[in-house]
């Protein structure tokens, strides 16, 4: 008896249901990672730059930044004066992740929804990608915009409306990250060849017309040019993001690309296997094509190579630079599965056996990806970012929005920074070892900075700067230090520097109430007192073995410094 249409469709329905459930599970895990994973040190830097933009500051003109500005301009509406609002930017990055997944799905939708979903599923369960693609970084933003542009090449030839959107998205991707200039270059080469071939009416074309693409790209480029013109930041942008960044890249202390790539690929076995299998299938399909130069798949292959090359090209290939390469591998995952299905479909294989094999392979893939990925991502959530949020909440309570805070990475997020350049790289700390301490001492004093947040780069600062900070800031907690000095009983005169006009206090309180405590020659019996900015003479003849004079925090609560605590707030990755 011939099978009914419903009987023929049930394997496809099972496959689609399996893919949809796996996609839902993968997305839930991505959200968990994005919301609860610890913040990396660079995320605070980008968040602080966004906060500065939200307060009307212009990158390059008002503060130093050697990355392209689109991410900061995009983040700025979502950050507030509460340092904990950095969590809003993680939500923004989840939207970016969703756009990346949609672009990859759209590229492969001609294979059917069940197969097309496997690309985003495997990518979402590839922890090295999810770990960095959900972080507040320029790389995921640039790649999301570019993969959306790529998805508009399907199906080919590209209509004028889609070509215009491609041009606009491509320029936005370039405006988000310098790395995009390198890894998107092959697409430009393909389009130039296509434009040349378009002069012949007998050649198949990738674009129906190339002028709309230039119109879309030119329109966005014009808006960017006007932005630089009206903000008067174009020259500074050129100097910091191209000239200085090139110098930084050439002289930065490097390391081999295998340091981070080897473990990343080791934990991305399923992605690599299916991705490279899909690349082989694409090569074979192009060989059989009558017009391979007019097929967008050629660009996909070239971009896979260029994204992986752009990672190894860097002098210091940090793992977050793998986002474009791993993302492009995911584009080929559904094609890799299709290749396996085609291999199963030999003439001697019965239809039922072929269908069963397809369903089993697809079900195994969508089960195996989450199974492998969730185990590793769960490890990344221990510890989570609860402690970091508590430190940021303490910082919000202890300081006012106008109080500058110092560290070397912008980890205070929503507080003013000290100086024009609020962070330094390893190259800066090495090349400026003699000048940086004097410069930062001047800027700390000039800004009236009363709070210091310890970060993972603190011990990389030049020793004289570390000594200055340790002398003038006392530990409120393991990670937050506030302006103050530690004294032993001084029968002769000592000095205390008030970094700004403000209230200060002496601890323990009995130093003041017990008598014998003088400031500028006048006896003081109040635990809390106001000091003008500058040096003050201190004398104490009481019985306390040691005491502290410290800036009074914004919450008005006195405290006693605690020593020997282990900082836990900051981590590199």
């Amino acid at each position: 008896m011939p099978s009914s249409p419903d009987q023929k469709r049930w394997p496809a329905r099972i496959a689609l249901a399996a893919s949809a459930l796996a996609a839902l599970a993968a997305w839930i895990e991505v959200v968990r990672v994005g919301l609860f994973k610890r913040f990396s040190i660079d995320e605070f830097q980008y968040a602080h730059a966004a906060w500065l933009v939200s307060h009307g500051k212009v990158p390059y003109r008002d503060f130093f930044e050697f990355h392209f500005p689109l991410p900061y301009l995009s983040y700025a509406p979502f950050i507030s004066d509460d340092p904990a609002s950095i969590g809003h930017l993680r939500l923004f990055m989840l939207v970016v992740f969703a756009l990346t997944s949609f672009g990859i799905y759209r590229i492969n939708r001609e294979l059917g929804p069940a197969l097309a979903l496997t690309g985003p599923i495997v990518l979402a369960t590839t922890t090295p990608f999810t770990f960095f693609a959900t972080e507040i970084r320029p790389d995921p933003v640039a790649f999301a915009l570019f993969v959306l542009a790529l998805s508009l090449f399907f199906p080919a030839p590209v209509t004028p409306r889609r070509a215009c959107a491609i041009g606009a998205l491509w320029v936005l991707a370039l405006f988000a990250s310098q790395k995009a200039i390198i890894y998107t270059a092959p697409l430009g080469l393909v389009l130039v060849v296509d434009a040349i071939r378009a002069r012949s009416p007998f050649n198949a074309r990738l674009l129906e017309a190339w002028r709309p693409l230039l119109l879309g790209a030119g329109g966005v480029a014009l808006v960017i040019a006007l932005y630089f013109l009206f903000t008067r930041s174009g020259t500074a942008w050129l100097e910091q993001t191209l000239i200085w960044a090139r110098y930084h890249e050439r002289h930065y202390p490097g390391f081999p690309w295998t340091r981070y790539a080897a473990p990343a690929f080791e934990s991305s076995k399923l992605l690599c296997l299916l991705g490279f299998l899909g690349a082989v299938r694409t090569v074979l399909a192009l060989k059989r094509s009558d017009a391979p130069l007019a097929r967008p798949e050629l660009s996909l292959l070239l971009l896979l190579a260029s994204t992986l090359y752009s990672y190894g090209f860097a002098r210091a290939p940090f793992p977050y630079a793998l986002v474009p390469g791993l993302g492009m591998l995911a584009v080929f995952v559904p094609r890799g599965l299709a290749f396996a299905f085609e291999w199963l479909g030999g003439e001697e294989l019965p239809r039922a056996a072929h269908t069963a094999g397809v369903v089993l392979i697809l079900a195994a893939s969508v089960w195996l990806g989450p199974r492998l990925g969730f185990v590793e991502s769960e490890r990344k959530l221990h510890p989570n970012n609860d402690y970091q949020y508590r430190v940021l909440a303490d910082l919000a309570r202890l300081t006012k929005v106008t109080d500058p805070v110092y560290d070397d990475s912008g980890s205070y997020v929503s507080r003013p920074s000290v100086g024009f350049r609020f962070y330094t790289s390893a190259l800066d700390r090495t090349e400026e070892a003699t000048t940086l301490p004097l410069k930062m001492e001047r800027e700390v004093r000039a800004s009236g900075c009363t709070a210091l947040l310890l970060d993972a780069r603190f011990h990389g600062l030049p020793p004289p700067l570390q000594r200055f900070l340790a002398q003038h800031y006392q530990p409120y907690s393991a990670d937050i230090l506030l302006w103050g000095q530690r004294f032993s009983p001084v029968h002769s005169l000592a000095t205390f520097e008030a970094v700004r006009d403000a209230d200060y206090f002496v601890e323990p309180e009995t130093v003041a109430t017990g008598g014998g405590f003088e400031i500028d020659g006048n006896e003081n019996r109040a635990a809390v007192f106001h000091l003008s900015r500058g040096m003050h003479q201190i004398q104490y003849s009481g019985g306390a073995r040691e005491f502290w004079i410290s800036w009074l925090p914004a919450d008005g609560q006195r405290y006693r410094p605690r020593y020997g605590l282990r900082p836990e707030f900051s981590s590199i990755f």
Side-chain angles (χ1 to χ4, degrees), residues 214-238:
L214 295 181
L215 180 64
V220 174
L222 177 61
V223 172
I224 293 170
L226 290 174
Y227 163 80
F228 285 131
L229 177 65
F230 287 118
T231 59
R232 303 188 306 279
S233 60
T235 301
W237 166 77
L238 179 66

Side-chain angles (χ1 to χ4, degrees), residues 313-355:
F313 169 81
R315 183 174 178 84
F318 288 107
Y320 49 79
L322 277 169
V323 164
L326 294 175
M328 285 306 300
L329 269 174
V331 169
F332 290 93
V333 164
R335 299 162 188 267
L337 282 170
F339 199 18
F341 300 161
E342 291 163 2
W343 177 78
L344 279 175
E347 294 182 0
E348 298 181 359
L349 192 67
R351 177 66 184 174
H354 170 256
T355 301

Side-chain angles (χ1 to χ4, degrees), residues 62-395:
D62 299 327
F63 62 92
F64 178 87
E65 185 52 65
F66 71 96
H67 299 86
F68 281 2
L70 181 62
Y72 315 127
L73 302 178
S74 304
Y75 302 153
F78 303 100
I79 196 161
S80 71
D81 290 336
D82 180 3
S85 64
I86 188 174
H88 301 163
L89 303 189
R90 280 282 186 88
L91 288 172
F92 179 89
M93 296 310 298
L94 288 174
V95 175
V96 171
F97 194 104
L99 292 176
T100 301
S101 300
F102 173 74
I104 292 172
Y105 171 84
R106 192 180 187 284
I107 289 173
N108 293 288
R109 61 180 179 172
E110 64 179 11
L111 299 174
L115 268 181
L117 279 172
T118 59
I121 291 169
V122 173
L123 187 64
T125 54
T126 300
T127 305
F129 181 88
T130 303
F131 190 72
F132 292 107
T134 55
E135 290 188 344
I136 306 161
R137 296 183 180 276
D139 304 83
V141 176
F143 183 69
L145 291 167
F146 185 64
V147 82
L148 284 174
L150 278 181
S151 72
L152 296 177
F153 280 96
F154 295 82
V158 178
T159 62
R161 182 176 296 181
R162 282 190 282 139
C164 184
I166 288 170
L169 289 168
W170 190 2
V171 173
L172 286 173
L174 298 177
F175 195 48
S177 172
Q178 292 101 315
K179 298 185 187 78
I181 298 174
I182 299 173
Y183 66 74
T184 69
L187 180 61
L189 179 62
V190 169
L191 294 179
V192 168
V193 171
D194 188 68
I196 294 172
R197 293 177 67 253
R199 296 179 180 179
S200 171
F202 302 104
N203 288 329
R205 301 166 63 179
L206 183 59
L207 299 177
E208 289 183 2
W210 55 268
R211 287 185 179 85
L213 184 139
L214 295 181
L215 180 64
V220 174
L222 177 61
V223 172
I224 293 170
L226 290 174
Y227 163 80
F228 285 131
L229 177 65
F230 287 118
T231 59
R232 303 188 306 279
S233 60
T235 301
W237 166 77
L238 179 66
E239 292 173 349
Q240 294 173 33
T241 65
L242 297 178
I243 298 174
W244 186 89
R246 181 173 179 271
Y247 173 85
H248 185 270
E249 173 63 23
R250 292 178 61 185
H251 296 88
Y252 192 87
F255 50 83
W257 65 270
T258 53
R259 175 182 297 184
Y260 294 109
F265 287 123
E266 173 69 21
S267 61
S268 309
K269 296 183 182 69
L270 186 63
L271 175 68
C272 293
L273 173 64
L274 295 177
F276 283 114
L277 190 62
V280 171
R281 177 186 184 269
T282 304
V283 170
L284 296 177
L286 286 174
K287 286 182 65 177
R288 294 191 298 266
S289 173
D290 295 333
L293 294 177
R295 300 299 305 162
E297 287 82 359
L298 176 61
S299 296
L300 295 183
L301 289 169
L302 295 175
L303 291 166
L304 174 61
S306 65
T307 51
L308 294 175
Y309 169 78
S310 71
Y311 171 78
F313 169 81
R315 183 174 178 84
F318 288 107
Y320 49 79
L322 277 169
V323 164
L326 294 175
M328 285 306 300
L329 269 174
V331 169
F332 290 93
V333 164
R335 299 162 188 267
L337 282 170
F339 199 18
F341 300 161
E342 291 163 2
W343 177 78
L344 279 175
E347 294 182 0
E348 298 181 359
L349 192 67
R351 177 66 184 174
H354 170 256
T355 301
V358 167
V359 172
L360 286 174
I361 291 176
L362 182 58
S365 298
V366 298
W367 176 84
L368 188 61
R371 182 77 174 180
L372 295 176
F374 291 177
V375 171
E376 187 173 356
S377 64
E378 283 298 318
R379 288 198 295 266
K380 299 290 187 181
L381 295 176
H382 300 286
N384 60 21
N385 54 22
D386 284 348
Y387 178 76
Q388 292 175 310
Y389 275 122
R390 288 200 297 272
V391 172
L392 293 175
D394 286 342
L395 195 64

